[in-house]
Amino acid sequence: MTVRRAVLSPLILFAAVIGQLVVVNRLPLPGVGLPDVVLLVVAALGVTAGPATGLLAGFAGGLAIDVAPPGGHLAGEYALVYCLIGYACGRIRDLLQGSNAERPATTSLLVMMVGVAAGEAGKAALGLMLSDPDMTGPAIRHVLPAAVLYDLLLCPFVLWLVPVVVGARTAERAPQPQFPQSLRLAPAFRLASAGAAPKLRLAGSTLPPVPPPVRAEPKLRLAGGRSSLSSRTNGAFSSAPGSALSGRPTPRLNLASAGRGNQLGGASALRAPQGAGFQGKSPGKGWLRPPKQAGTTARPGRSPRKGWIVAGRPAPANWQAKAPGKGWVRSPRPPSPGTWRRRSPGKGWIVAGGPVSPANWQPRSPGKGWARSPKPPAAPRRKSPGRGWLRPAAPGALAAPTFRPGSPGKGWLRPVGSGALAAPTWRPSSPGRGWLRPVKPVPPPRRKTPGRGWLRPARPPRQNWYTKGPSTRWLRRGRRRRLLLGGRR
Amino acid sequence: MHEARRIRPVLIALLVVAIALITLDFRDSGASPVHTLGADVFGPIERVAGDAASPFIGFFHAANGNDSAEITALQKQNDQLRAQLAQEQVSKADQAQLAQLLGRSASGYRLVAASVIAAGGEYSDTVTIGVGSRNGIAPDETVLNGDGLVGVVTSVTSGTATVQLATDVSSTVGVRMADTGQIGAVSGTGQTMAGTDDLRLTLFSATATLHAGEAIVTFGSVGGRPYVPGVPVGQVISVTSEPGALTQSALVQPYADFTGLGVVGVVVPRPPAKAKAKART
């Protein structure tokens, strides 16, 4: 993106300069003023791409207008004004909202409008100060209002066009959902998870190669069926239903919209288990358990669920988002093969933390919370534990948008922070790999061979916004090398 | 925030550079080498882009679209202009007198057609035309179109020339009244883009009288530079008599439409070889 921006920003600026001189200045527009396209582009670049870009674009564009043939004013005049405007637009925009935050178009537009008006005024003021013969008081009084008006009218269009061309469009990301109530559910979820082990399936991300037993009676579903789950999760998790999220295929298991790898707590920490004792153990353990513990305490022979349960204490704030429990645990019916396949539960899980800010992620390791849960799980373990307790009170409730508080699963499966997911750096650190990696280490399908299903995705989830990050490809291949390398996509 | 800290030095540096440029240019009164450089760099680009955009602009001005149409229109304008020029001549006697005085005849000029390829911003009354020294254009040559006087060439590059319009505040054209022969000066009001194309006429003679509707032609300069004689400028629309003023002044509406300039002609001296040859466009 930076490369694209570096190439296209000068191009669009150049186009604006030429267009201004060759076309706009010659248009017999009604009224007495002319729009200043260069100023508009500079302000838009500042707003969308930051103060540095705005500064450079302003200076370059202004200087070009200054020295390009028709001229008419001193060299450096517009360069001075434009670079100040470009810088100020970016700076104010960043101050109003941190550079990492979502950038609503309205704020950008307002900042840009103010900047453009200030730029027009600045040009006139500088011309007056330099006693430019063309810029007399009466002329400015005539021209300035009309010019500002034209600029303001063009602002929305330019603000739309520039990010599209330059590729700096940031305003479209779905807002990060907030789950204030979900915290309440955490205890219940913990309880549920404690008993859930045997039938528990991590996500049906993949259609297990050995389908029959596994599919036949998955008691617990980590992830909802592709279609059903998505609808559910959408309703529950996306705070803005109409947001950009809805249009895209929803990745089931990618709970984690984790932002960058480092956010997740550092790739190294997550991966550590692999190196040490992880292989022999059931995958579940490695997962949930905090990295260090996994190395030392994990017992290979154990049923996967244990590992799960063992994991650290739940993170208070974001916990729900990750907590897989509801969505999967509850689902009454066995996952249909089709739906099963898509989600790679392993990923989802590990990734799930994603939305959670990196800092918080580790401490919470959800697994622990589970294991620790004060009371023993009420549900019987062996018996499709998922159902009884995991099941939503009312089936309708799951689908309902308001479901959110109770459905930790959703948070899990669905990328919470879409923005975070999108971050380019995200992938390498995704903890999922290290953890999930061992295909072999998975114990033979004793119980329900939970390991297989999730470790081996029939096919990698479609590459979309969320799923792109943690590609499942490596799961299939099961190459240790790639895992260790922290392979790229 | 640290990003802001990082780029602040850049900001300061660029501001200093801009102020330095302004200072240098101010000292050279707007003729610093930067402008030459800029013209060399942007001139050719503007020519290409201006030619490409001319149909578009022409659409807006209901003007001609392509080159051949442009040329024929220009020739037509040229003929028209010559006829008008003749009409506007005060008298044959004056004409002869003038020709004698200037050592040139009116036919000693030829027109170089050019299209406007770029224009200055809202505050400046300058345009760029697509001919340059390569076409024989030199600074201080008269620019006109089918309607009347447009301006004067101020600077030239190999492929482009910058024209200062007659409406520019710093432009002053010597004129005379077509009827009475009174001489005066017309200057711009600097508000072309502000919606008024009007020029201000000041007569030199205290006893002369002005009437609305009178036509004004250029008086001419020595050697035809910057203005050749006899080019229609405009007509008086209102006489403003200020109490206490020694001379009369008036507002003049120019014949040319300065906001819709398309094809213009630059009056260049005919090469000494033969004056009778048909003017080439």
Side-chain angles (χ1 to χ4, degrees):
Chain A
M1 181 172 288
T2 41
V3 172
R4 183 178 176 198
R5 187 182 298 174
V7 171
L8 289 184
S9 297
L11 273 188
I12 193 174
L13 192 64
F14 182 77
V17 169
I18 298 299
Q20 174 79 35
L21 295 172
V22 166
V23 177
V24 176
N25 283 349
R26 294 179 59 198
L27 286 182
L29 293 176
V32 294
L34 290 169
D36 191 334
V37 180
V38 181
L39 179 58
L40 286 169
V41 168
V42 165
L45 281 175
V47 162
T48 57
T53 308
L55 172 67
L56 296 177
F59 186 80
L63 193 60
I65 286 285
D66 283 333
V67 302
H73 48 264
L74 300 179
E77 272 189 55
Y78 284 18
L80 180 66
V81 174
Y82 288 0
C83 82
L84 277 178
I85 293 301
Y87 175 78
C89 278
R91 195 84 175 82
I92 293 174
R93 186 70 184 73
D94 281 354
L95 288 181
L96 288 184
Q97 287 187 337
S99 50
N100 290 333
E102 297 298 331
R103 304 187 154 195
T106 48
T107 313
S108 298
L109 188 59
L110 278 181
V111 171
M112 181 178 168
M113 282 177 158
V114 172
V116 163
E120 289 285 356
K123 286 196 298 186
L126 192 57
L128 271 182
M129 281 163 46
L130 295 171
S131 62
D132 185 330
D134 288 328
M135 295 191 183
T136 58
I140 289 175
R141 270 197 299 279
H142 274 96
V143 171
L144 191 55
V148 170
L149 186 62
Y150 273 121
D151 285 350
L152 293 187
L153 287 179
L154 284 180
C155 266
F157 175 72
V158 177
L159 189 57
W160 166 80
L161 180 71
V162 166
V164 166
V165 173
V166 174
R169 194 169 201 174
T170 56
E172 296 236 328
R173 290 192 188 145
Q176 180 160 1
Q178 302 288 337
F179 310 90
Q181 307 163 335
S182 55
L183 190 55
R184 288 183 223 152
L185 296 182
F189 185 69
R190 252 180 259 147
L191 287 181
S193 61
K199 308 260 170 159
L200 195 51
R201 271 208 173 182
L202 286 189
S205 62
T206 65
L207 184 54
V210 190
V214 174
R215 276 194 228 146
E217 36 178 354
K219 306 296 172 181
L220 297 183
R221 257 206 208 167
L222 292 188
R226 193 170 194 32
S227 60
S228 64
L229 183 58
S230 69
S231 61
R232 255 187 258 152
T233 52
N234 274 340
F237 276 76
S238 58
S239 56
S243 68
L245 272 182
S246 59
R248 317 190 175 186
T250 315
R252 301 282 167 286
L253 281 188
N254 237 354
L255 301 189
S257 50
R260 333 205 149 188
N262 52 14
Q263 286 184 348
L264 284 181
S268 62
L270 291 178
R271 272 182 213 159
Q274 308 175 353
F278 188 66
Q279 288 183 345
K281 307 167 195 173
S282 63
K285 288 180 182 178
W287 277 32
L288 293 186
R289 187 172 300 183
K292 320 171 191 169
Q293 292 182 356
T296 56
T297 60
R299 290 164 255 164
R302 266 192 204 172
S303 65
R305 55 181 132 119
K306 276 190 182 176
W308 266 50
I309 296 177
V310 170
R313 45 166 178 158
N318 296 341
W319 193 77
Q320 324 101 301
K322 311 165 190 173
K326 267 199 185 170
W328 44 276
V329 173
R330 253 189 223 177
S331 65
R333 45 162 181 158
S336 70
T339 58
W340 192 242
R341 179 191 313 163
R342 293 274 161 112
R343 324 151 201 163
S344 60
K347 276 188 185 173
W349 262 57
I350 297 176
V351 172
V356 178
S357 73
N360 303 342
W361 200 82
Q362 285 183 345
R364 300 172 201 166
S365 62
K368 276 190 186 174
W370 291 10
R372 270 189 210 171
S373 61
K375 330 167 192 174
R381 281 197 184 180
R382 293 291 147 120
K383 243 192 234 171
S384 64
R387 280 197 187 167
W389 39 279
L390 293 183
R391 180 177 307 178
L398 268 183
T402 55
F403 183 64
R404 184 193 311 168
S407 63
K410 281 182 184 174
W412 259 56
L413 296 184
R414 173 167 314 188
V416 175
S418 49
L421 268 184
T425 57
W426 184 77
R427 190 174 310 154
S429 55
S430 68
R433 284 195 185 157
W435 290 20
L436 291 186
R437 104 161 70 129
V439 174
K440 314 171 187 172
V442 176
R446 275 192 211 165
R447 312 264 149 141
K448 289 287 171 166
T449 67
R452 276 201 185 169
W454 42 278
L455 289 184
R456 242 181 244 177
R459 54 170 166 156
R462 238 212 270 165
Q463 293 269 319
N464 60 20
W465 194 34
Y466 324 133
T467 57
K468 215 197 284 170
S471 116
T472 54
R473 232 177 260 161
W474 60 270
L475 284 176
R476 249 193 239 162
R477 296 186 192 168
R479 303 245 176 260
R480 175 176 305 170
R481 174 171 50 92
R482 302 194 59 177
L483 292 176
L484 290 179
L485 288 178
R488 314 287 113 181
R489 61 181 72 179
Chain B
M1 297 310 105
H2 66 276
E3 189 206 357
R5 221 175 296 134
R6 220 172 45 222
I7 65 177
R8 196 165 294 145
V10 182
L11 171 68
I12 293 172
L14 290 185
L15 290 185
V16 169
V17 170
I19 292 173
L21 281 175
I22 294 174
T23 310
L24 289 178
D25 209 11
F26 193 78
R27 192 191 61 181
D28 295 343
S29 60
S32 71
V34 190
H35 286 289
T36 316
L37 189 66
D40 287 338
V41 172
F42 285 95
I45 301 168
E46 280 180 12
R47 272 186 63 183
V48 174
D51 288 344
S54 60
F56 179 65
I57 303 293
F59 171 76
F60 276 88
H61 292 293
N64 32 37
N66 52 37
D67 282 16
S68 60
E70 220 169 73
I71 290 172
T72 53
L74 188 70
Q75 277 169 338
K76 205 159 128 188
Q77 282 178 349
N78 202 349
D79 296 340
Q80 225 170 10
L81 188 65
R82 290 177 178 281
Q84 208 172 4
L85 199 88
Q87 285 172 5
E88 298 289 345
Q89 297 300 334
V90 191
S91 68
K92 288 226 172 206
D94 283 352
Q95 170 67 22
Q97 205 176 358
L98 258 176
Q100 211 172 10
L101 179 67
L102 299 177
R104 286 175 189 276
S105 69
S107 62
Y109 303 99
R110 66 185 176 96
L111 279 178
V112 173
S115 54
V116 174
I117 58 171
E122 51 238 311
Y123 296 108
S124 61
D125 292 306
T126 52
V127 296
T128 302
I129 56 176
V131 294
S133 55
R134 184 192 306 153
N135 308 86
I137 309 296
D140 288 340
E141 286 177 341
T142 310
V143 180
L144 44 77
N145 70 1
D147 298 325
L149 180 71
V150 169
V152 63
V153 175
T154 54
S155 66
V156 169
T157 67
S158 67
T160 63
T162 298
V163 176
Q164 182 189 51
L165 301 183
T167 52
D168 192 276
V169 102
S170 52
S171 147
T172 299
V173 186
V175 297
R176 59 177 173 154
M177 310 303 296
D179 296 344
T180 63
Q182 296 290 339
I183 60 173
V186 159
S187 58
T189 55
Q191 296 181 31
T192 304
M193 295 301 176
T196 64
D197 274 350
D198 294 346
L199 310 174
R200 178 163 298 278
L201 166 68
T202 306
L203 286 186
F204 293 155
S205 164
T207 61
T209 56
L210 280 174
H211 304 288
E214 281 184 291
I216 300 173
V217 299
T218 56
F219 180 72
S221 316
V222 176
R225 290 187 173 198
Y227 297 104
V228 294
V231 179
V233 175
Q235 63 180 1
V236 175
I237 53 173
S238 68
V239 179
T240 60
S241 52
E242 298 147 21
L246 288 180
T247 60
Q248 275 190 304
S249 60
L251 280 183
V252 174
Q253 184 179 36
Y255 292 127
D257 174 16
F258 289 97
T259 59
L261 291 175
V263 177
V264 297
V266 183
V267 182
V268 301
R270 185 181 292 281
K274 195 50 210 163
K276 280 305 174 188
K278 179 107 182 165
R280 293 181 310 163
T281 59

